[in-house]
Amino acid sequence: MQAVLKPLSLNYLDAMMSWVNNPAITGKFAKFNNRITREEEISHIKQMMASKADRAFVMESEQGKYLGNISLHEIDWNAKKARMSILIADKEARGKGYGKSAIKQLLEIAFNQLKLHKVWLVVFEENEKARGLYRKCGFQEEGILKDEYFVKGKYHDMARMAIIRRGK
């Protein structure tokens, strides 16, 4: 399935509020440990939209259904690198190719529009499904970060993966 990327905007506030406080979706993300209010989410969206170090997008189906978010964060313009994040909030959309489609489009933006050299991410070491998806998109593992995330009272190892722009 083909994902459609659109710039993050306040038009997606209600869609995002439908999952930001759902532990089934955000339970493993350290930054979602506390309940997020509507006002806090508005502030976050405005911050992302104004940021020089972030490029945030929403993913929709070709029919216009909101699926989730994908972003480049911590853009280091000197080193020409950024951290990628992706979250497919719509459970029915998972495993249907939307993630791969969105990642490929985001990498196109990162390398061809923003002229970045490297895009990296971290993923739970035990999340083989996600690691497999990232490998299919060209990411390679750089190493394991021991006890990198502290979520739900325990430390978790994270795999760091990256893709480097080649030949340009």
Side-chain angles (χ1 to χ4, degrees), residues 10-152:
L10 288 171
N11 295 337
Y12 296 96
L13 175 63
D14 290 335
M16 292 173 66
M17 288 305 299
S18 74
W19 62 262
V20 295
N21 292 311
N22 182 343
I25 296 171
T26 63
K28 288 194 169 187
F29 292 98
K31 76 176 198 170
F32 289 102
N33 280 338
N34 299 317
R35 188 150 187 82
I36 296 170
T37 66
R38 188 173 184 82
E39 293 73 27
E40 289 169 331
E41 191 63 14
I42 290 170
S43 176
H44 173 73
I45 292 170
K46 286 180 177 179
Q47 179 183 353
M48 287 293 107
M49 289 169 49
S51 174
K52 302 285 188 233
D54 301 280
R55 294 294 183 275
F57 301 89
V58 297
M59 295 176 286
E60 291 184 346
S61 69
E62 291 177 300
Q63 295 75 32
K65 182 179 181 185
Y66 171 84
L67 304 173
N69 295 45
I70 187 166
S71 304
L72 294 168
H73 298 288
E74 303 170 30
I75 299 173
D76 180 334
W77 294 106
N78 290 324
K80 299 186 183 303
K81 66 180 180 175
R83 178 180 60 84
M84 187 192 90
S85 69
I86 182 171
L87 185 141
I88 299 178
D90 184 335
K91 286 185 177 184
E92 294 175 11
R94 294 179 190 163
K96 296 196 168 126
Y98 289 114
K100 184 176 181 181
S101 170
I103 291 168
K104 293 287 190 182
Q105 291 176 64
L106 189 73
L107 292 174
E108 184 77 19
I109 292 167
F111 294 138
N112 296 327
Q113 289 180 24
L114 302 177
K115 305 298 184 200
L116 297 179
H117 174 70
K118 180 178 185 176
V119 175
W120 63 275
L121 60 87
V122 292
V123 58
F124 284 89
E125 181 183 27
E126 69 270 10
N127 191 343
E128 279 301 325
K129 186 174 181 180
R131 288 167 74 184
L133 169 62
Y134 300 139
R135 282 186 208 102
K136 286 178 187 174
C137 292
F139 286 82
Q140 295 181 351
E141 296 198 13
E142 294 187 316
I144 301 298
L145 305 170
K146 297 294 185 184
D147 290 350
E148 184 69 11
Y149 273 23
F150 187 78
V151 180
K152 294 187 177 179

